[in-house]
Amino acid sequence: MVRPLGYRSCWSMPILSYQGQVLGTFALYSREPGTPSAEQIDLISMAAHLAGIAIERRQSEERIQFMAHHDALTGLPNRVLFDERVASALQQARMTGHWVALAFLDLDNFKLINDTLGHHAGDELLRVVAGRMLACVRKSDMIVRVGGDEFIILLNSLPPESSVMLARLEAIRAAIGAPVVLAGRSIQVSCSMGVVCYPDHGETTTELLANADSAMYRAKEVGRNNLQVFDAQMAAKAHEKLRRHEELRDAVASGEFVLHYQPQMNLKTGRIFAAESLLRWQHRERGLISPGEFIPLAEETGLIVPIGDWVLNEACRQNKAWQDAGLPPIVVSVNVSARQFKERNWVSRVAAALEESGLEACYLELELTESLIMQDVTSAVATMHELEALGVHLAIDDFGTGYSSLSALKSFPVRRLKIDRSFLVQDIPGDADDQAITGAIISLAQKLQMHVIAEGVETQEQVDFLRASGCDDIQGYFFSRPVGPAAFVSLLLQ
Ligand code: C2E
Ligand code: MG
Ligand code: MG
């Protein structure tokens, strides 16, 4: 190649990395045929060595830079780069009058895929999804991974009309929804999106992202697999929620909770043998608030853990105090939320509550729901066995409303099923189907040597039907509403 230019010899000296990889080469051409002298070789060896160090250093700087700004799994940019990019996108939009869209994106049921197909499949899915999203956007747009299965999409320089923005985001949703082969299986995932656009939904990145988060929350709330654009109502709701969360947190700190007790009666003896503890919030202004109004929030925010601990300890303490006062001993049952049950040291917390109150374990019953157990049957059954070993009794609450597999049911160490009140029709003889279900649950429990209690029993007709069907126990307004501790003592004495 160089001959026409008058060169007659060529010498090449590799530039090697520390580990001996070729990073480049020094090529020396000469107009005279021959090899370099020893002196020349020394010189280029030294130059190649120095160049090697410089190149390697530059490469590792670039790698560090890349790693600092990108997610290792998907190769997508990360939050650091994103923040810079959004700032400049907004600035540009201010001048051009274009729109900028920001969308939070969260894969639906990603945890399920991870749990069932394994983490490798989960990682692969994230890579596939990242690739599909990238294929849908332009170079000036950006996609970042901000958490396990959460992404943010930034669409730049959009014409100021929502139809364009929505069409492009819907295209991304559609791309993600196409089948993926993972661990030899073809599966489909959906995603939820919360969307905001500049300038309509906020001035700053912080404000926009907070609003996108509210929109995402709404998307999850309406059942996932959809896209929600932010509106002012969402902001008001998010604000209200934050306020309620703070109020609830203060209530935990200042001990504004009380327990009411609802007696459980045996149908044969007519005696009270147990009571369910039901939480009430004694609010300074609003009075007594029922758990349906604050437990969902407590579960969502994790406050259910300290609240549940309080309930457990208070119920044990109260029951022991009744026994110490000479009242006939009864079982107290405590509702357990999934969040609490999954706490690592949950079993030892139960043991500590018994220890501290001095209550014998056989006087404590824990009510678990079917959905709590079914979230992770294997580990739930293991925890149930540990609790059983303490001597505590277990019951399944709201039975019939969840998705217990009947074959799993026989492996649960539970003593009681509580038939949900939705199966008790108001005016028995009423709905034949509900009656049939109630009857079937009762005989199923009998076959599995479990007790059955019907909750929400309100009428004499219901009592008669339950007795005829062989139900052991009842709980409900028919006998008594949940009442405060003092009123409960008089019930017990009667
Ligand atoms: P649950 O455990 O199924 O409790 C039974 C609910 O049915 C109670 O509502 C009770 O007052 C109500 N009830 C009882 N008898 C009747 C009746 O004859 N008719 C009707 N219509 N209702 C009846 P409450 O006290 O509002 O509690 C609602 C739910 O809140 C409970 O359902 C339970 O899931 C949850 N909860 C209550 N206390 C706690 C607690 O300390 N911890 C946790 N994690 N959840 C709790
Ligand atoms: Mg209950
Ligand atoms: Mg119930």
Side-chain angles (χ1 to χ4, degrees):
M1 206 168 61
V2 295
R3 192 190 295 242
L5 300 172
Y7 291 107
R8 287 297 171 266
S9 68
C10 164
W11 183 258
S12 179
M13 172 67 88
I15 300 172
L16 299 179
S17 75
Y18 183 70
Q19 264 133 5
Q21 262 178 317
V22 180
L23 299 171
T25 176
F26 267 114
L28 296 130
Y29 296 89
S30 169
R31 292 184 198 283
E32 280 133 40
T35 55
S37 67
E39 209 180 333
Q40 286 170 327
I41 295 262
D42 273 355
L43 206 60
I44 36 180
S45 296
M46 196 163 69
H49 180 65
L50 290 176
I53 293 172
I55 293 172
E56 242 184 325
R57 182 186 167 121
R58 171 63 181 269
Q59 283 183 343
S60 54
E61 267 172 8
E62 277 172 359
R63 214 168 21 242
I64 290 168
Q65 272 294 334
F66 186 86
M67 271 155 58
H69 292 99
H70 291 80
D71 158 44
L73 179 71
T74 57
L76 290 175
N78 67 15
R79 210 38 212 271
V80 182
L81 216 53
F82 173 77
D83 286 344
E84 289 169 15
R85 245 331 226 295
V86 178
S88 71
L90 294 183
Q91 197 166 14
Q92 211 185 357
R94 252 169 235 133
M95 296 187 305
T96 58
H98 281 138
W99 277 11
V100 174
L102 283 179
F104 268 140
L105 184 149
D106 191 302
L107 297 182
D108 301 327
N109 305 316
F110 178 69
K111 192 179 171 304
L112 192 70
I113 290 169
N114 245 344
D115 289 351
T116 51
L117 300 180
H119 287 269
H120 282 303
D123 286 354
E124 177 60 18
L125 177 65
L126 292 173
R127 277 190 289 261
V128 170
V129 163
R132 288 182 182 176
M133 285 197 274
L134 279 178
C136 294
V137 299
R138 301 182 185 160
K139 244 196 142 74
S140 59
D141 300 332
M142 189 178 220
I143 292 171
V144 296
R145 185 159 85 116
V146 286
D149 62 339
E150 291 164 18
F151 300 85
I152 304 179
I153 303 166
L154 162 73
L155 300 182
N156 227 330
S157 316
L158 291 166
E161 48 180 309
S162 49
S163 60
V164 178
M165 166 179 91
L166 290 178
R168 294 196 43 204
L169 291 170
E170 285 294 1
I172 296 179
R173 260 172 30 83
I176 292 175
V180 194
V181 177
L182 287 180
R185 282 168 61 173
S186 173
I187 62 155
Q188 266 174 295
V189 280
S190 60
C191 65
S192 305
M193 273 193 206
V195 180
V196 288
C197 70
Y198 173 88
D200 282 11
H201 302 140
E203 275 292 317
T204 62
T205 315
T206 321
E207 198 183 341
L208 287 165
L209 288 181
N211 290 342
D213 196 43
S214 303
M216 166 65 109
Y217 186 80
R218 178 88 190 116
K220 292 274 176 193
E221 210 177 37
V222 301
R224 295 154 197 249
N225 191 15
N226 73 108
L227 176 159
Q228 293 286 326
V229 180
F230 176 79
D231 65 43
Q233 239 182 338
M234 289 178 189
K237 254 181 116 173
H239 205 258
E240 167 66 11
K241 201 168 138 192
L242 190 66
R243 201 188 56 70
R244 283 176 50 219
H245 174 216
E246 278 165 6
E247 199 184 30
L248 191 59
R249 201 187 48 210
D250 293 346
V252 178
S254 50
E256 294 176 18
F257 295 105
V258 288
L259 286 185
H260 278 192
Y261 296 88
Q262 188 174 33
Q264 300 181 340
M265 188 187 78
N266 184 274
L267 276 176
K268 289 205 188 76
T269 64
R271 282 171 162 272
I272 298 175
F273 67 96
E276 176 173 8
S277 60
L278 291 159
L279 186 59
R280 305 287 180 259
W281 178 1
Q282 187 70 63
H283 194 281
R284 269 161 289 179
E285 288 134 35
R286 290 158 62 202
L288 214 54
I289 306 180
S290 65
E293 278 185 57
F294 62 87
I295 284 198
L297 183 66
E299 284 183 335
E300 204 185 299
T301 56
L303 280 172
I304 194 67
V305 175
I307 296 176
D309 271 346
W310 179 82
V311 172
L312 179 67
N313 283 285
E314 173 59 13
C316 290
R317 186 204 63 76
Q318 178 65 83
N319 200 17
K320 176 65 174 159
W322 284 330
Q323 291 182 4
D324 289 347
L327 292 162
I330 58 160
V331 170
V332 69
S333 59
V334 169
N335 291 287
V336 179
S337 99
R339 191 83 179 242
Q340 249 180 309
F341 189 78
K342 275 191 281 194
E343 287 282 293
R344 216 168 272 267
N345 58 353
W346 161 242
V347 177
S348 56
R349 286 190 190 180
V350 175
L354 291 168
E355 173 88 33
E356 227 161 88
S357 60
L359 185 73
E360 262 183 80
C362 64
Y363 294 117
L364 175 65
E365 181 176 73
L366 299 174
E367 292 191 6
L368 315 174
T369 59
E370 285 172 276
S371 55
L372 173 158
I373 299 170
M374 295 315 287
Q375 279 174 17
D376 182 350
V377 181
T378 324
S379 88
V381 170
T383 308
M384 286 157 87
H385 278 294
E386 286 179 54
L387 291 166
E388 197 198 22
L390 287 180
V392 172
H393 295 301
L394 300 173
I396 298 186
D397 201 359
D398 306 337
F399 188 76
T401 60
Y403 301 96
S404 295
S405 97
L406 291 179
S407 62
L409 188 61
K410 64 178 195 293
S411 69
F412 302 163
V414 296
R415 197 176 60 140
R416 282 213 279 177
L417 297 184
K418 297 190 79 173
I419 306 180
D420 190 69
R421 66 165 170 271
S422 58
F423 295 115
L424 299 181
V425 271
Q426 290 311 310
D427 48 336
I428 285 181
D431 190 320
D433 289 345
D434 278 341
Q435 280 197 31
I437 292 171
T438 308
I441 294 174
I442 294 169
S443 56
L444 173 75
Q446 284 167 344
K447 297 247 159 59
L448 293 172
Q449 259 113 51
M450 292 175 185
H451 291 263
V452 205
I453 182 164
E455 62 179 342
V457 179
E458 293 182 355
T459 63
Q460 181 66 52
E461 287 79 6
Q462 291 173 333
V463 174
D464 294 341
F465 167 74
L466 289 163
R467 184 176 276 138
S469 312
C471 182
D472 308 295
D473 309 310
I474 59 163
Q475 173 185 343
Y477 297 170
F478 173 74
F479 186 60
S480 166
R481 287 183 172 255
V483 294
F488 184 78
V489 169
S490 2
L491 272 177
L492 203 53
L493 287 173
Q494 281 169 36

